[in-house]
Amino acid sequence: MFKVEKNNLKIGQYLADLIDRKYESRRAFCRAYIQATGEDPTNETVTNMSNRLAQIAKGNKAIQTYDLPYFTDLLGVSCEQILSAGECSAPIANRVTNYSIACSNDPAEWEAYIRRVDKLILNSDEYCKTVLDYALEFGNYKFIKFLMDNQYIWFDSRKDQDYIQTFGAGTSIKRRDISYIDYGLEGKLKTEDELRINLIALAADHEDIQMLNELRARENPQLYFKAHYLSAQHPDFDEFYNERMVKHIASSSEEVLDYFTDSFEIRDQVRYKDGSSRVHTFLFPYISQLLDLLIVTKSPFAETALKKAIKYNRKTYKRLRELILSVKKDEYYSNEYCRNLWVKACEQYLDFFENGNIVSFLAVYSNHNTDGIITNVAHATKTPSSPILKHLVDELNESYLKIKNLKDNLEEL
């Protein structure tokens, strides 16, 4: 027995989340929905469905009973999951597998399975059995004959040079596109960050700070790549932005939001003489996007988050100014012949990257010692309706621009 969620907004948000994870766009889902109903996905029908879906996602309209068969099939979830907004996870009784297809007597189902873009028909299942193994076990001669008559499989290639272990048996079903290749759990864990990102969203929903810490939820590998400020390479932070994860964080508890808006330290490649690692302080790489979402959703935490970001930006500017002035006061640049060279020296080692909002500066002194900073800063692009929040956004962006434009204003320090 499961409990039906009575809040249309929760169901709508859950559906929107599922669609965003599985489809490249919501219009793509709408086209798939219309095709599944047997209609032609014209611009008009797709637009109408997109508008209805938008209302469902906002909680203004409820999902209809006639939607459920199509939504469950297209999203790969049960109706219990949809109607409980994800609280109840029930197995899908009609999920298509090698086993179920080998039991089927419907040619339309066989053809649809063969034409799936992920080409599951070519895979062995968790029991290491193919669809043909099961068909032979069940004696589904009609299905096997269908595969052979349509030249999807053959047991004789009619080529003598193929006759070694078999008579050149094979299939005309093409392997799936490389984007669908299954590297298994180990491959996904080693080569993709998507599983960690999805788990961060789930841990935020469950307010599990311990899990978030274990996942390094505020960090991403690109920060470590960039942390050594002598590196000339700059990773693409925008490419790794995950809107779904940030939406889950924005709608989470005050404790979780406090965690994601706190600064944190990461280790550097440089080791000191005592063996300790150099560390740098950062904010959540997508703090600016998070602030925008808190503003748009009118989150009660928006004021606190903006104040924390303003404080961090100002602290960063103060540290940058101290380092730059320390170079200006260096005995080499204090010399009357070199007095005007400190600006060029600072310009050489002061960088700002809008992709990630990374600022870095390396202070190089005449005694060959160095000091420096690398961090990221925050800004907001949304305009709040609240006068208090609007004032805070203005303060935040002012502090951000001071840092961003610092290289052009060195002589004013």
Side-chain angles (χ1 to χ4, degrees), residues 337-356:
Y337 299 106
C338 303
R339 195 169 294 157
N340 297 324
L341 295 180
W342 74 271
V343 172
K344 290 185 178 180
C346 290
E347 285 178 343
Q348 182 180 353
Y349 294 110
L350 177 60
D351 288 302
F352 187 90
F353 300 91
E354 288 191 60
N355 187 336

Side-chain angles (χ1 to χ4, degrees), residues 156-385:
D156 186 351
S157 67
R158 308 294 178 186
K159 297 177 182 177
D160 292 352
Q161 66 269 27
D162 294 340
Y163 297 170
I164 305 173
Q165 290 183 322
T166 72
F167 285 104
T171 176
S172 62
I173 303 171
K174 301 299 182 184
R175 276 283 168 194
R176 52 188 166 183
D177 184 85
I178 191 168
S179 61
Y180 288 96
I181 290 177
D182 181 11
Y183 294 104
L185 179 60
E186 183 182 15
K188 279 183 173 289
L189 287 170
K190 287 184 175 180
T191 62
E192 298 177 10
D193 205 28
E194 186 178 355
L195 293 176
R196 185 182 71 94
I197 296 299
N198 289 335
L199 184 51
I200 289 170
L202 193 58
D205 292 344
H206 286 265
E207 303 174 23
D208 190 344
I209 302 297
Q210 183 178 347
M211 174 65 83
L212 292 171
N213 273 316
E214 188 171 338
L215 295 171
R216 297 181 183 268
R218 292 176 298 199
E219 308 169 36
N220 62 14
Q222 291 72 43
L223 280 182
Y224 286 85
F225 186 77
K226 186 59 186 172
H228 195 328
Y229 49 71
L230 295 177
S231 169
Q233 295 175 297
H234 186 74
D236 190 345
F237 288 90
D238 293 343
E239 181 186 353
F240 295 96
Y241 172 62
N242 186 288
E243 185 179 13
R244 176 180 173 272
M245 177 188 71
V246 178
K247 280 183 176 179
H248 277 257
I249 294 167
S251 62
S252 61
S253 68
E254 183 175 322
E255 184 183 12
V256 172
L257 285 168
D258 199 43
Y259 168 83
F260 275 98
T261 51
D262 277 346
S263 59
F264 56 89
E265 292 183 340
I266 71 170
R267 64 184 179 274
D268 193 356
Q269 301 171 19
V270 174
R271 298 290 184 270
Y272 294 114
K273 292 180 180 179
D274 63 0
S276 62
S277 300
R278 184 169 60 183
V279 296
H280 301 284
T281 306
F282 284 93
L283 291 173
F284 176 46
Y286 306 109
I287 184 68
S288 297
Q289 291 92 330
L290 178 57
L291 291 173
D292 279 347
L293 273 174
L294 294 177
I295 291 167
V296 169
T297 58
K298 298 183 179 179
S299 167
F301 196 79
E303 183 175 346
T304 301
L306 286 166
K307 286 179 177 178
K308 290 172 75 172
I310 291 168
K311 184 178 179 181
Y312 189 83
N313 278 11
R314 287 176 174 171
K315 182 180 176 181
T316 300
Y317 178 79
K318 182 181 178 182
R319 178 59 179 153
L320 283 165
R321 188 174 185 276
E322 287 173 352
L323 286 168
I324 291 168
L325 290 178
S326 71
V327 173
K328 183 179 181 180
K329 294 174 184 176
D330 182 80
E331 60 180 359
Y332 175 77
Y333 297 108
S334 298
N335 185 299
E336 62 177 316
Y337 299 106
C338 303
R339 195 169 294 157
N340 297 324
L341 295 180
W342 74 271
V343 172
K344 290 185 178 180
C346 290
E347 285 178 343
Q348 182 180 353
Y349 294 110
L350 177 60
D351 288 302
F352 187 90
F353 300 91
E354 288 191 60
N355 187 336
N357 298 311
I358 300 286
V359 60
S360 64
F361 178 66
L362 179 65
V364 181
Y365 305 109
S366 56
N367 61 4
H368 303 296
N369 287 337
T370 60
D371 197 358
I373 181 176
I374 180 169
T375 188
N376 58 333
V377 288
H379 68 122
T381 64
K382 304 300 181 183
T383 303
S385 55

